[in-house]
């Protein structure tokens, strides 16, 4: 049964990819959607079995498939590990993916390459499933890079656009920088533990807790090193501050891609990695400190940028980055279940927001700039309502899904009682204000006020077909109910995790924080909503005045803190310059001193040789044969003399 | 072994040469019949080698299918052939790629077809011989013999600057080989035998090893090629006809790595240990330097040639870590690169045949008019980038894992090659296949035809199969690689690191423990 939750998307991909032409668009859509819906149903059944099985104790299992590679002690299997953590991920991935698949049938109806698009979506889903069901770090790496490639293919799906191609390459290469860390992390884990299989590593972690390893000439606490290197990979994939520059650009891809990959699933792989490795991270307090700080900084910085952007998808992208920051500082303070809880609720409401934005873009004839929208809420009421649901869930308004998960994260951060935990709490509160603010800003700019689009566009505004709205409604249900429904199971007093992740004590502590700590996030969210209302609905001249008054700050934020410019100057340009320099030295120094120099010196010989270039093959062959015979016979005589 | 399968494999292509020489008639008939004969003979050789693969005993660490006949009796030089897990897949690679090359040249080569096919079949004989020879003299004859047909292929059927490139290739390699010849001579005079198995079992004195190691290194480093003696490769590739590049990248470069494994490590272990830091640093420089150079290339073939140097850097890095993962990874990387780079050069060949230029800027937007080509190129590109699930990943990852166990600085630097590798391949792919169709003639090119498609299918399948189930290859490589390392560590008098059985044992125990732990809760 486990196979049925993972391999149907692969089958769908292969069919649509190889036989897309023969099957036609309808066939390709059918086979990929059927594959993913099957997988979604089976993973829900697995969820029940794994969580509630064995009389409620949980029934995790691992299915061995085949050997991948074995080199000495480094033996790796293909297998499916289905425990409490991975089954949650499987459900999230498969359900969101199924919604996105169906939605894409409508969204991409005007595109020429439907089969290819559906195939890539299924490929992505398969890679993501392999990632979350990995039983060792290497299979995880397979899924990790697999989703990276699918993301590359889908960002650059409209491959005639230069901006899309550039964004695709940027995404892949920046992720590779993270993967550089991840690969070194796998190496270090192997050197330390002698294996990269999860259970074995977890069992060995306590006894390796005091070991020291020499890395780049520095002696460093071994587990901390492993954790930090793995976290570097997580930073790349989950767009954490420093390695985040690819995510906003990735919005070049079609909107369903942004919803599936760059909001709900792939970008959360980093969170999953840290949670999966939690038994190891527990022994690396310094690494956890780094995780907390990076997470808190990301939550804050991304929110500040999100307030200033005008592209509707980029606003949501920065919001995604910010929410991922929340998840990371939850991991950092050891509240792993809280991070996964937020990952799950976020997947629903953020996919909803993206697909809703897609519905808006679809209605507005592919317009993404919010300055050219406005006044359309009556024309697309269903989308409007669903966008409100998503935004309220994102802003953490009580009883929506995001409220429960964000609260437990903030409480856990405060309950950690370390300086960085408390710092993360306050930065999280600040980010929560901004989150609510940019959410309402997005809603009011997009739907309310006077229409700012051209008349031709306005005449064409229409509600999306039901094939697009149905998935939105399913996600809407998740965005409303998944919070309170799963609260007890995920982060309640008797959570369901079994041995799959650590951090229950952090969750316990989170339940016992002062009253104001629990209520401050609600106040923050309300403040943000009110501010958004004041700025963008009540007194619409305020934003302009504000920007003027705080010009330098706004410039910094609007230009995304100048990360792109910095990286271009620091890494991209020097690489190409170095490349040119090396090439020049190849031609001038290496060749100049070597073969060409020698050739010049022996030009005379060359002239004689050139006479032999008569063009007859047999002459060449003959000359060469004579040469060889000469060499061999010289060798032969030398031998005989040596003997004699 | 009663049945001389290795000799048969080695000399079967020469029989084909004899048949082709006998072809008479007008030039059209000669060309057609030579093509067919070459195709038939090379395919048959491949089938025979496949049969050999089935007969190969995967558990045996020593040499198999051994043939030993006295040759120069008085001199103690014999005709000694045999293969082990290390050489097995290089033989397979040679027999696998030759028919593909013949097929790839079907239409591209129109002048002197007969001679061309003769050169390729002769080349196959020398290649297989190199990997089977177990006598140093025999090895040398084959090893040098390879140069002749390759020199002719580049010099006659190459591009405009073919003469410069052919001579550069020839002189460079010859220079290295002469030193190797001298070293072979010295080795022979010292020990009185040229039998490689005997030489491996009885290393010479340490001082002697140093000099011999350096002389052999000169030859293998050029063949590999390692930085800074790599400059012949881009030129040779650029001027060589497509099939020439395929064999050059696919098999010829591997002779260097094979040489390290057959001569340097087992025969001169103490010298190897002494020179290891130098080789590792040269490898790291090769990886980073040539990757950067590849980043700024405007010529497709040059770009892939430079990427080959970088990929070979992983091989030397892996081999000289003297760890199980490093050595096995290095061997696997050579096999994988043999398939991927061969296929990439064929990819260049496809568009070169149509537009007769290798300049990247002259293409663009090919995905529209050549969707099949774009897909094939994509898979191969990802293989070259080292995506997990393709063969490129396995070798790269294992060599780096090996390097990390020896020196973290070198491993970290070499791993940056993974980032650069992604950059230059993706940029190449984007400029050729994606984007607007700016060039009219490029936009009018036709997609791959049936013949070309048939060439690519086995290569693409190999890339994926080797990536998903590399254990078929690695299981056969492992015993020989392990034997090599055991002998190496015995010779330098230190303990071999990673020990396989203990780790496996440990894994089972801990897994059980975790289960018990779970039950208590």
């Amino acid at each position: 049964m486990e196979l049925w939750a993972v391999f149907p998307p692969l089958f769908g991909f292969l069919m649509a990819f190889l036989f897309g032409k023969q099957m036609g668009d309808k066939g390709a859509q059918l086979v990929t959607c059927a594959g993913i819906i099957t997988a979604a149903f089976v993973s829900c059944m697995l969820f029940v079995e794994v969580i509630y099985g064995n009389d409620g104790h949980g029934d995790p299992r691992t299915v061995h498939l085949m050997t991948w590679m074995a080199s000495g002690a480094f033996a790796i299997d293909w297998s499916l590990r289905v425990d409490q953590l991975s089954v949650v991920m499987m459900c999230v991935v498969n359900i969101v993916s199924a919604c996105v698949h169906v939605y894409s049938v409508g969204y991409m109806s005007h595109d020429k390459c439907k089969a290819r698009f559906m195939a890539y979506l299924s490929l992505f889903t398969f890679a993501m499933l392999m990632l979350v069901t990995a039983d060792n770090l290497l299979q995880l790496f397979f899924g990790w890079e697999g989703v990276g490639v699918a993301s590359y293919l889908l960002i650059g799906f409209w491959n005639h656009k230069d901006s899309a191609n550039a964004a695709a390459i940027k995404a892949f290469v920046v992720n590779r920088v993270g993967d550089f860390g991840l690969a070194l992390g796998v190496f270090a884990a192997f050197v330390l533990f002698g294996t990269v299989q999860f259970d074995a590593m977890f069992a060995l972690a306590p006894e390796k807790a005091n070991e020291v390893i020499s890395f780049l000439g520095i002696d460093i606490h071994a587990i901390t090193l492993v954790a930090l290197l793995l976290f570097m990979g997580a930073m790349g994939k989950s767009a954490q501050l420093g390695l985040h520059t690819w995510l906003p650009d990735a919005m070049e891809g079609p909107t369903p891609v942004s919803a599936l990959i760059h909001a709900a699933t792939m970008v959360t792989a980093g969170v999953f990695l840290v949670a999966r490795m939690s038994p190891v991270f527990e022994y690396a307090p310094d690494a956890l400190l780094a995780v907390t700080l990076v997470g808190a900084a990301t939550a804050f910085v991304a929110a500040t940028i999100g307030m200033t952007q005008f592209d509707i998808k980029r606003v949501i992208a920065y919001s995604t980055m910010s929410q991922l920051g929340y998840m990371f500082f939850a991991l950092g303070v050891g509240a792993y279940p809280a991070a996964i809880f937020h990952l799950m609720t976020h997947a629903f409401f953020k996919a909803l927001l993206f697909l809703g934005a897609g519905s808006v873009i679809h209605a507005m004839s592919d317009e993404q700039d919010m300055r050219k929208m406005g006044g359309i809420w009556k024309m697309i009421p269903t989308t409007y309502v669903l966008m409100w649901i998503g935004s309220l869930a994102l802003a953490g308004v009580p009883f929506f899904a995001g409220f429960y998960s964000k609260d437990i994260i903030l409480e856990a951060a405060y309950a950690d009682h370390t300086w960085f935990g408390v710092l993360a709490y306050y930065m999280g509160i600040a980010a929560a204000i901004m989150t609510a603010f940019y959410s309402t800003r997005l809603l009011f700019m997009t739907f309310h006020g006077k229409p700012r689009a051209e008349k031709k566009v306005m005449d064409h505004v229409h509600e999306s077909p039901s094939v697009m709205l149905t998935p939105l409604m399913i996600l809407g249900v998740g965005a409303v109910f998944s919070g309170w429904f799963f609260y007890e199971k995920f982060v309640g007093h008797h959570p369901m995790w079994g041995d799959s992740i650590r951090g229950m004590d952090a969750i316990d502590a989170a339940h016992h924080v002062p009253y104001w700590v629990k209520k401050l996030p609600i106040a923050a969210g309300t403040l943000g909503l009110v501010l958004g209302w004041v700025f963008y609905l009540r007194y619409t001249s305020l934003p302009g005045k504000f920007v003027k008054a705080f010009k330098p700050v706004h410039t910094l934020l609007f230009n995304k803190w100048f990360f792109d410019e910095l990286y271009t100057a620091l890494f991209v340009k020097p690489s190409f310059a170095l490349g040119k320099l090396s090439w020049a030295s190849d031609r001038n120094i290496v060749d100049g001193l070597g073969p060409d120099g020698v050739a010049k010196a022996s030009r005379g010989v060359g002239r004689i040789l050139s006479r032999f270039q008569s063009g007859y093959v047999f002459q060449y062959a003959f000359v060469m044969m004579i040469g060889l015979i000469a060499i061999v016979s010289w060798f032969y005589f030398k031998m005989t003399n040596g003997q004699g | 072994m009663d049945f001389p399968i290795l000799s048969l494999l080695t000399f079967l292509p020469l029989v084909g040469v004899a048949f082709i020489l006998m072809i008479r008639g007008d030039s059209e008939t000669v060309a057609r019949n030579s093509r067919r004969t070459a195709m038939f003979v090379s395919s048959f050789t491949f089938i025979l080698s496949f049969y050999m693969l089935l007969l190969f005993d995967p558990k045996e660490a020593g040499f198999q299918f051994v043939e030993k006949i006295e040759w120069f009796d008085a001199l103690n030089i014999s005709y000694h052939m045999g293969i082990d897990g290390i050489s097995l897949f290089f033989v397979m690679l040679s027999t696998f790629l030759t028919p593909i090359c013949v097929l790839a040249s079907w239409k591209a080569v129109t002048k002197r077809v007969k001679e061309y096919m003769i050169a390729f079949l002769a080349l196959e004989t020398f290649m297989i011989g190199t990997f089977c020879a177990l006598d140093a003299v025999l090895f040398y004859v084959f090893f040098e013999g390879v140069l002749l047909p390759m020199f002719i292929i580049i010099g006659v059927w190459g591009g405009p600057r073919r003469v410069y490139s052919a001579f550069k290739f020839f002189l460079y390699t010859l220079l290295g080989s002469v030193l190797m010849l001298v070293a072979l001579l010295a080795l022979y005079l010292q020990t009185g035998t040229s039998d490689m198995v005997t030489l491996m079992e009885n290393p010479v004195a340490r001082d002697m090893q140093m000099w011999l190691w350096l002389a052999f290194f000169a030859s293998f480093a050029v063949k590999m090629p390692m930085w800074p003696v790599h400059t012949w490769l881009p030129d040779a590739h650029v001027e060589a006809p497509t099939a020439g590049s395929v064999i050059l990248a696919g098999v010829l470069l591997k002779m260097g790595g094979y040489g390290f494994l057959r001569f340097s490590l087992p025969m001169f272990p103490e010298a190897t240990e002494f020179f290891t830091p130098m080789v590792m640093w040269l490898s790291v420089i090769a990886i980073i330097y040539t990757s950067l150079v590849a980043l700024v290339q405007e010529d497709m073939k040059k770009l892939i040639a430079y990427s080959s140097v970088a990929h070979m850097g992983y091989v030397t890095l892996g081999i000289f870590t003297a760890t199980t993962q490093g050595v096995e990874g290095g061997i696997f990387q050579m096999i994988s690169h043999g398939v991927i780079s061969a296929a990439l050069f064929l990819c260049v060949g496809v568009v070169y045949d149509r537009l007769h230029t290798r300049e990247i800027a002259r293409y663009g937007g090919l995905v529209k008019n050549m969707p099949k080509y774009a897909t094939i190129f994509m898979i191969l590109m990802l293989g070259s980038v080292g995506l997990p699930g393709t063969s490129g990943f396995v070798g790269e990852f294992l060599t780096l894992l090996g390097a990390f166990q020896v020196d973290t600085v070198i491993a970290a630097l070499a791993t940056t090659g993974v980032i650069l590798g992604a950059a230059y391949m993706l940029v190449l792919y984007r400029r050729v296949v994606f984007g607007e169709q700016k060039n009219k003639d490029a936009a009018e090119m036709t997609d791959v035809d049936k013949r070309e498609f048939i060439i690519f299918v086995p290569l693409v399948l190999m890339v994926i199969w080797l990536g998903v189930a590399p254990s078929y290859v690695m299981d056969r490589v492992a015993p020989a690689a392990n034997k090599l390392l055991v002998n190496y560590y015995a010779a330098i008098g230190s303990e071999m690191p990673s020990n396989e059985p203990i780790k496996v044992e440990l894994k089972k125990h801990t897994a059980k423990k975790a289960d018990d732990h779970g039950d208590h809760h």
Side-chain angles (χ1 to χ4, degrees), chain B residues 120-141:
Chain B
F120 259 93
L121 290 178
L123 189 59
E124 186 176 16
T125 289
F126 290 129
M127 290 189 302
I128 299 173
T130 306
F131 296 123
C132 294
L134 285 184
D135 186 281
V137 176
L138 191 61
F139 173 84
Y140 186 78
V141 170

Side-chain angles (χ1 to χ4, degrees), chain A residues 409-433:
Chain A
I409 285 181
L410 288 168
E411 285 160 18
Y414 188 84
D416 196 44
H417 290 302
T418 50
W419 64 267
F420 54 91
V422 176
L423 176 73
Y425 175 77
Y426 285 112
M427 286 179 91
I429 293 288
I433 301 174

Side-chain angles (χ1 to χ4, degrees), chain B residues 90-155:
Chain B
F90 294 113
V91 175
M92 293 304 298
L93 201 58
S94 311
T95 58
F96 175 64
L97 287 178
T98 307
I100 286 177
C101 282
V102 172
L103 202 57
S105 316
W106 211 259
K107 282 179 185 155
V109 174
T110 46
K111 62 168 191 178
R112 302 180 199 285
V113 178
K114 183 172 158 185
E115 289 82 353
Y116 182 88
M117 294 301 167
I118 290 174
F120 259 93
L121 290 178
L123 189 59
E124 186 176 16
T125 289
F126 290 129
M127 290 189 302
I128 299 173
T130 306
F131 296 123
C132 294
L134 285 184
D135 186 281
V137 176
L138 191 61
F139 173 84
Y140 186 78
V141 170
F142 284 126
F143 190 81
E144 288 305 292
V146 167
L147 277 182
L148 304 175
M150 201 62 216
F151 172 76
I152 295 166
I153 288 168
I154 297 175

Side-chain angles (χ1 to χ4, degrees), chain B residues 309-344:
Chain B
V309 182
H311 282 127
M312 287 298 110
Y314 290 109
V315 175
T316 43
L317 181 65
I319 290 174
F320 280 87
T321 60
T323 57
T324 308
Q325 288 82 28
V327 171
E328 290 182 16
I331 296 169
F332 197 89
Q333 171 79 345
M334 284 196 270
I335 297 161
S336 152
H337 179 263
V339 178
I340 293 176
S341 68
L344 280 173

Side-chain angles (χ1 to χ4, degrees), chain B residues 126-359:
Chain B
F126 290 129
M127 290 189 302
I128 299 173
T130 306
F131 296 123
C132 294
L134 285 184
D135 186 281
V137 176
L138 191 61
F139 173 84
Y140 186 78
V141 170
F142 284 126
F143 190 81
E144 288 305 292
V146 167
L147 277 182
L148 304 175
M150 201 62 216
F151 172 76
I152 295 166
I153 288 168
I154 297 175
V156 176
W157 291 276
R161 266 163 54 94
R162 57 179 181 264
V163 175
Y164 169 82
S165 298
F167 272 97
K168 196 172 179 181
F169 161 72
F170 193 78
L171 293 177
Y172 241 125
T173 355
L174 199 67
L175 195 73
S177 311
V178 167
L179 289 172
M180 183 168 88
L181 182 64
V182 174
L184 270 179
L185 223 68
L187 193 61
Y188 178 80
L189 294 177
Q190 180 77 20
T191 58
T193 178
S194 63
D195 190 66
M196 284 158 65
V197 181
T198 319
L199 287 170
M200 280 184 227
E201 281 160 6
N202 309 295
V204 291
R206 187 183 152 93
D207 293 345
M208 180 103 180
Q209 279 189 21
M210 297 294 171
W211 293 107
L212 294 176
W213 189 93
L214 280 174
F216 274 93
F217 179 74
S219 176
F220 299 142
V222 169
K223 260 268 156 47
M224 200 78 203
M226 290 179 73
W227 186 88
V229 286
H230 63 280
T231 54
W232 64 270
L233 186 73
D235 281 309
H237 270 309
V238 164
E239 299 305 327
T242 302
S245 290
V246 170
I247 287 293
L248 190 56
V251 183
L252 262 54
L253 303 189
K254 278 75 203 171
M255 290 179 176
Y258 177 73
F260 285 132
L261 291 164
R262 266 290 177 269
F263 289 87
S264 305
L265 255 66
M267 292 183 198
F268 322 119
E270 288 161 82
T272 302
E273 194 200 10
F274 180 79
F275 287 113
T276 288
M278 178 189 83
V279 179
M280 288 179 85
W281 277 106
L282 286 178
S283 310
V284 169
I285 294 172
I287 292 171
I288 296 174
Y289 177 101
T290 50
S291 296
L292 286 170
V293 175
L295 206 55
V296 296
Q297 292 307 308
E298 292 295 327
D299 181 307
M300 291 163 94
K301 266 190 160 181
K302 259 200 177 146
L303 194 153
I304 298 170
Y306 274 111
S307 86
S308 289
V309 182
H311 282 127
M312 287 298 110
Y314 290 109
V315 175
T316 43
L317 181 65
I319 290 174
F320 280 87
T321 60
T323 57
T324 308
Q325 288 82 28
V327 171
E328 290 182 16
I331 296 169
F332 197 89
Q333 171 79 345
M334 284 196 270
I335 297 161
S336 152
H337 179 263
V339 178
I340 293 176
S341 68
L344 280 173
F345 279 116
L346 285 167
C347 269
V348 178
V350 167
V351 286
Y352 183 81
D353 286 348
R354 287 164 175 69
L355 218 55
H356 298 288
T357 176
R358 298 176 312 263
E359 202 188 326

Side-chain angles (χ1 to χ4, degrees), chain B residues 380-428:
Chain B
L380 296 170
M381 182 269 285
L382 292 174
S384 175
V385 165
L387 183 80
T390 64
S391 62
F393 171 71
V394 181
E396 220 170 74
F397 192 87
L398 287 177
T399 51
L400 290 171
L401 180 62
F404 194 90
Q405 296 168 46
V406 177
D407 189 330
T408 50
V409 179
I410 283 176
L413 285 173
T415 311
T416 58
V418 173
I419 304 170
L420 293 169
Y424 63 71
M425 281 315 281
L426 292 183
V427 171
L428 167 73

Side-chain angles (χ1 to χ4, degrees), chain A residues 625-640:
Chain A
M625 277 321 269
I626 287 180
L628 187 70
I629 289 166
I631 292 168
V632 171
S633 46
W634 177 69
F635 184 43
Y636 184 78
F637 280 115
K638 206 76 183 160
M639 291 288 96
T640 356

